């Protein structure tokens, strides 16, 4: 009887220790995610601030060398240098400065060093000749933490288009 009681007490103690370890690890992971989330929100703000202040050097510093952009027209540019070249070409097509507004992104961690940010954006872009493009879209950015710094690996804009309603609804 004493042997069974000792085994039961030992099992309960081991279970308790395992639970404490699990809770400690879960709290540590939560704290790390919260810290990473704060860093990502700061990065997001810094990228937009750099763009809006025409500090292209700062803006491009957030892109990885192998970054990819997918545009609403379906075109794809791969590599920071190709994206920069495309951006320079885009600037020759516009009148004035595009206006962008963005919500705070939602953040989904794919793993501790990879995250996806999704924000609502609204853009007002005037092309030479008077055509206006832009509007509401979802801006999706995939980032990767490299040597302690979050870098953009991929971004895209998905236009928000109203879907037709079924008749009678």
């Amino acid at each position: 009887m004493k042997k069974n009681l000792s085994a039961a007490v030992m099992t309960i103690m081991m279970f308790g220790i395992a639970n404490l370890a699990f809770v400690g690890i879960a709290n540590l992971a939560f704290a790390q995610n919260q810290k990473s989330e704060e860093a990502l929100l700061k990065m997001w703000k810094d990228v937009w601030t750099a763009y809006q202040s025409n500090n292209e050097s700062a803006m491009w510093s957030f892109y990885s060398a192998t970054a990819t952009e997918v545009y609403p027209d379906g075109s794809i540019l791969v590599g920071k240098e190709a994206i920069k070249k495309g951006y320079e070409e885009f600037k020759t097509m516009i009148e004035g400065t595009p206006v962008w507004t963005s919500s705070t992104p939602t953040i989904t961690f794919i793993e501790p060093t990879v995250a996806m940010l999704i924000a609502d954006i609204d853009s007002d872009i005037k092309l030479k000749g008077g055509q206006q493009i832009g509007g509401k879209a979802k801006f999706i950015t995939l980032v990767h933490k490299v040597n302690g710094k979050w870098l953009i690996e991929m971004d895209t804009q998905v236009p928000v288009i109203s879907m037709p309603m079924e008749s009678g609804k």
Side-chain angles (χ1 to χ4, degrees), residues 14-124:
M14 292 304 286
F15 182 72
I17 291 169
N19 275 337
L20 285 173
F22 176 76
V23 168
I25 290 169
N27 282 336
L28 179 62
F30 175 77
Q32 287 173 337
N33 270 358
Q34 189 171 10
K35 187 175 179 182
S36 292
E37 209 168 289
E38 290 169 5
L40 282 169
L41 290 173
K42 182 180 180 333
M43 180 214 71
W44 179 265
K45 181 181 175 209
D46 291 348
V47 171
W48 282 101
T49 299
Y51 170 77
Q52 291 172 337
S53 64
N54 288 321
N55 187 347
E56 292 181 21
S57 176
M59 180 180 75
W60 294 122
S61 74
F62 291 99
Y63 282 75
S64 78
T66 57
T68 299
E69 283 196 344
V70 181
Y71 297 102
D73 68 357
S75 61
I76 300 171
L77 293 176
V78 178
K80 181 172 25 178
E81 294 307 315
I83 295 168
K84 286 167 82 170
K85 182 179 176 193
Y87 183 68
E88 291 302 318
E89 290 173 10
F90 174 71
K91 289 191 308 187
T92 68
M93 299 169 38
I94 60 175
E95 276 184 14
T97 303
V99 177
W100 299 82
T101 57
S102 167
S103 67
T104 300
T106 59
I107 299 171
T108 303
F109 286 95
I110 297 165
E111 60 180 53
T113 60
V114 178
M116 180 172 52
L117 292 75
I118 302 176
D120 293 313
I121 62 166
D122 199 353
S123 57
D124 182 9

Side-chain angles (χ1 to χ4, degrees), residues 2-16:
K2 207 174 197 184
K3 192 174 190 179
N4 286 341
L5 184 59
S6 293
V9 168
M10 249 339 228
T11 300
I12 291 169
M13 285 178 54
M14 292 304 286
F15 182 72

